[in-house]
Amino acid sequence: MVTQTPSREYREMIDRCARAAADSGKGVAVFGAAKAGWYIMKALEARGIRIDCFCDNDARKASNGFHGYRVLSATDLEKEYPGAIVLFGIFRRNSAQAVKAGFGDRGFAIPEHDAYGFLYGYLTEVAGRKCDHQLLAANLNKLSDYYSLDGYRYGDVGHGEFVSPFVTGVVTQKCNLRCYDCGQRIPYYNAPLDFSVAEIVRDIKHYCSAFTLVPEISLHGGEPFLHPEIGAICREISSIPNLIFINLITNGNISPADEILRDLASAGADLHQSDYGKLSKQQAEIFSACAKHDIFCDIHFVDPSEKWLRSAPIKLHERPSTATEQIYSECMATKVCCQIMDGRLYRCPVSAHGMAQGLIPPSEGDFVRLGDDIDADTLRRSVRNFLTREAAFVSCSYCDPNTVTLVEPAIQLSAKIKRLLKEGTQP
């Protein structure tokens, strides 16, 4: 008996669902008006199938729609499309099974499928990601198992799998906004840099080589669209088969050229716009451009009641070492990420930018070098030990995460604020 490869299983799954949708006279809906559902929509479009609507439990989505489609509640879907085929854009396996059971009880037709097959279809057929598709499919199976674990976990997750935490890659220290409370401290660089494509790609490839699975990397700045070769960066790192999601965070102030968007599309990257109100002048244009190029894009709208957190200044805090260890322990218990910048892996933005700006003294133990002169086994051990260490870093002594102030979002670093800072006064 010949066992089918995951890539073939995924392709055949999409084919079965597409045939069922084409033969159905009762409509086709996708449950989940979010990224996973969007991948289903796009994979079906590649087979010539247009869905009728989305369905979601979030009533707020019904008023706005989703990428040009209506979003119905389950009750309204049952009224308008009784017996329709429903496909489920849910990555967590247990959640998907529970929701499917409820829709089956309502009389909807549910072909055998999962969201990962459609993700594979999008990445390989719509985006055309140029990586080893067999390895990509196998790693999507690993991602499915990983997302089915309880809680947020990384490192050794069992069964020989060592999974990366959420990781960010700083591609540029430049930004066209100057947010006083920027979590990446970008406005405080005197001579901000663009890092080279070769260096960024090398560092990310070396980082990914330390893991069996890297679920996601987010390319940051600064503003990533200020890097003149951001498209090439995305295209190059998309060849890494154990790296699944590539996303960019933009401030909605630059509408990228078609050439860059074509590169993002071929990488299967997605784009997330931060909403800075009047400062985000290109939101609609970016959204339309992404739709044109089959790039997933969403916007995190800031509610007027939302506030940013203003952190305490980076400085050496005179406190017992036990207090610093407690801070580190609590920090590691959150969904803390790690950060790649300028050839080094850091544990957090405070460490990365604080050290780069001379606020924290250089400490070899606070980063891992990702350069060319490291053999693969040594690099793997160094990265894994670094991300699972139990003792606090030197940088932790310069951080006070418990002293924060709620402030208005995106306050710009004006001449007045600069003067107050120089005088030692907080604005």
Side-chain angles (χ1 to χ4, degrees), residues 389-410:
R389 69 180 267 173
E390 297 180 357
F393 296 94
V394 170
S395 301
C396 300
S397 297
Y398 290 77
C399 179
D400 181 9
N402 299 320
T403 302
V404 295
T405 306
L406 294 176
V407 296
E408 295 297 320

Side-chain angles (χ1 to χ4, degrees), residues 245-298:
F245 295 111
I246 301 167
N247 72 58
L248 283 76
I249 308 294
T250 177
N251 60 31
N253 214 355
I254 297 176
S255 186
D258 277 353
E259 180 182 358
I260 291 174
L261 290 170
R262 283 193 291 270
D263 281 336
L264 265 61
S266 69
D270 49 270
L271 188 60
H272 303 274
Q273 297 191 59
S274 296
D275 173 37
Y276 294 92
K278 293 180 180 179
L279 297 174
S280 300
K281 300 175 182 178
Q282 301 293 324
Q283 282 182 346
E285 290 82 353
I286 293 171
F287 201 92
S288 296
C290 286
K292 172 185 172 183
H293 289 276
D294 290 330
I295 299 169
F296 178 79
C297 179
D298 63 9

Side-chain angles (χ1 to χ4, degrees), residues 170-293:
V170 177
V171 298
T172 181
Q173 296 169 341
K174 299 175 182 178
C175 190
N176 54 356
L177 297 182
R178 294 184 60 78
C179 299
Y180 171 61
D181 300 292
C182 174
Q184 299 286 335
R185 294 192 53 83
I186 295 301
Y188 304 102
Y189 280 101
N190 294 323
L193 302 172
D194 286 330
F195 301 109
S196 73
V197 174
E199 179 185 56
I200 293 167
V201 172
R202 176 204 66 196
D203 294 344
I204 293 174
K205 284 185 175 180
H206 284 185
Y207 175 83
C208 291
S209 71
F211 302 91
T212 54
L213 180 68
V214 182
E216 180 177 9
I217 188 168
S218 183
L219 301 181
H220 281 203
E223 167 55 50
F225 285 130
L226 286 178
H227 195 296
E229 297 183 272
I230 185 62
I233 293 168
C234 291
R235 188 180 65 244
E236 290 296 321
I237 67 172
S238 70
S239 67
I240 306 171
N242 67 332
L243 171 59
I244 309 300
F245 295 111
I246 301 167
N247 72 58
L248 283 76
I249 308 294
T250 177
N251 60 31
N253 214 355
I254 297 176
S255 186
D258 277 353
E259 180 182 358
I260 291 174
L261 290 170
R262 283 193 291 270
D263 281 336
L264 265 61
S266 69
D270 49 270
L271 188 60
H272 303 274
Q273 297 191 59
S274 296
D275 173 37
Y276 294 92
K278 293 180 180 179
L279 297 174
S280 300
K281 300 175 182 178
Q282 301 293 324
Q283 282 182 346
E285 290 82 353
I286 293 171
F287 201 92
S288 296
C290 286
K292 172 185 172 183
H293 289 276

Side-chain angles (χ1 to χ4, degrees), residues 26 44 53 160 162 193 207 307 310 313 382 409 421:
K26 298 182 178 181
L44 288 177
C53 63
F162 198 91
L193 302 172
Y207 175 83
K307 302 291 183 182
R310 177 171 297 167
S382 297
L421 290 173

Side-chain angles (χ1 to χ4, degrees), residues 41-334:
M41 174 190 76
K42 287 298 174 182
L44 288 177
E45 285 181 357
R47 296 291 204 283
I49 303 296
R50 180 176 171 83
I51 68 171
D52 292 287
C53 63
F54 281 89
C55 178
D56 203 280
N57 290 334
D58 187 344
R60 295 172 298 178
K61 295 181 178 180
S63 59
N64 297 322
F66 185 69
H67 290 267
Y69 287 91
R70 291 188 303 155
V71 180
L72 305 180
S73 67
T75 299
D76 289 340
L77 181 66
E78 190 173 10
K79 290 177 182 177
E80 292 195 36
Y81 298 98
I85 287 177
V86 182
L87 302 169
F88 294 83
I90 303 174
F91 282 132
R92 290 197 176 274
R93 190 185 302 147
N94 294 339
S95 299
Q97 290 173 347
V99 177
K100 285 179 182 179
F103 274 72
D105 292 342
R106 289 174 177 261
F108 292 108
I110 304 173
E112 184 178 350
H113 70 284
D114 69 31
Y116 297 93
F118 289 102
L119 172 57
Y120 175 82
Y122 169 76
L123 291 175
T124 59
E125 298 175 13
V126 181
R129 183 180 281 190
K130 290 180 171 53
C131 67
D132 186 316
H133 290 179
Q134 296 282 8
L135 287 177
L136 175 63
N139 285 316
L140 286 174
N141 277 351
K142 293 179 182 179
L143 186 69
S144 174
D145 292 337
Y146 172 63
Y147 278 171
S148 296
L149 299 174
D150 293 331
Y152 174 73
R153 298 167 62 183
Y154 62 87
D156 186 353
V157 298
H159 306 291
E161 304 297 334
F162 198 91
V163 178
S164 165
F166 178 69
V167 58
T168 63
V170 177
V171 298
T172 181
Q173 296 169 341
K174 299 175 182 178
C175 190
N176 54 356
L177 297 182
R178 294 184 60 78
C179 299
Y180 171 61
D181 300 292
C182 174
Q184 299 286 335
R185 294 192 53 83
I186 295 301
Y188 304 102
Y189 280 101
N190 294 323
L193 302 172
D194 286 330
F195 301 109
S196 73
V197 174
E199 179 185 56
I200 293 167
V201 172
R202 176 204 66 196
D203 294 344
I204 293 174
K205 284 185 175 180
H206 284 185
Y207 175 83
C208 291
S209 71
F211 302 91
T212 54
L213 180 68
V214 182
E216 180 177 9
I217 188 168
S218 183
L219 301 181
H220 281 203
E223 167 55 50
F225 285 130
L226 286 178
H227 195 296
E229 297 183 272
I230 185 62
I233 293 168
C234 291
R235 188 180 65 244
E236 290 296 321
I237 67 172
S238 70
S239 67
I240 306 171
N242 67 332
L243 171 59
I244 309 300
F245 295 111
I246 301 167
N247 72 58
L248 283 76
I249 308 294
T250 177
N251 60 31
N253 214 355
I254 297 176
S255 186
D258 277 353
E259 180 182 358
I260 291 174
L261 290 170
R262 283 193 291 270
D263 281 336
L264 265 61
S266 69
D270 49 270
L271 188 60
H272 303 274
Q273 297 191 59
S274 296
D275 173 37
Y276 294 92
K278 293 180 180 179
L279 297 174
S280 300
K281 300 175 182 178
Q282 301 293 324
Q283 282 182 346
E285 290 82 353
I286 293 171
F287 201 92
S288 296
C290 286
K292 172 185 172 183
H293 289 276
D294 290 330
I295 299 169
F296 178 79
C297 179
D298 63 9
I299 302 175
H300 173 66
F301 289 102
V302 176
D303 186 271
S305 64
E306 288 188 50
K307 302 291 183 182
W308 279 15
L309 297 178
R310 177 171 297 167
S311 301
I314 297 177
K315 65 178 184 179
L316 180 61
H317 296 278
E318 301 293 344
R319 61 192 174 211
S321 60
T322 53
T324 298
E325 293 293 342
Q326 181 62 28
I327 286 173
Y328 174 72
S329 178
E330 292 172 356
C331 192
M332 291 302 102
T334 67

Side-chain angles (χ1 to χ4, degrees), residues 319-374:
R319 61 192 174 211
S321 60
T322 53
T324 298
E325 293 293 342
Q326 181 62 28
I327 286 173
Y328 174 72
S329 178
E330 292 172 356
C331 192
M332 291 302 102
T334 67
K335 291 186 177 181
V336 66
C337 65
C338 56
Q339 188 151 17
I340 298 169
M341 185 175 76
D342 197 15
R344 296 175 175 180
L345 172 67
Y346 296 91
R347 203 60 183 91
C348 69
V350 170
S351 180
H353 298 292
M355 212 172 293
Q357 293 172 4
L359 300 172
I360 300 172
S363 174
E364 287 288 334
D366 278 30
F367 57 83
V368 174
R369 298 183 186 276
L370 298 172
D372 282 324
D373 57 346
I374 306 172

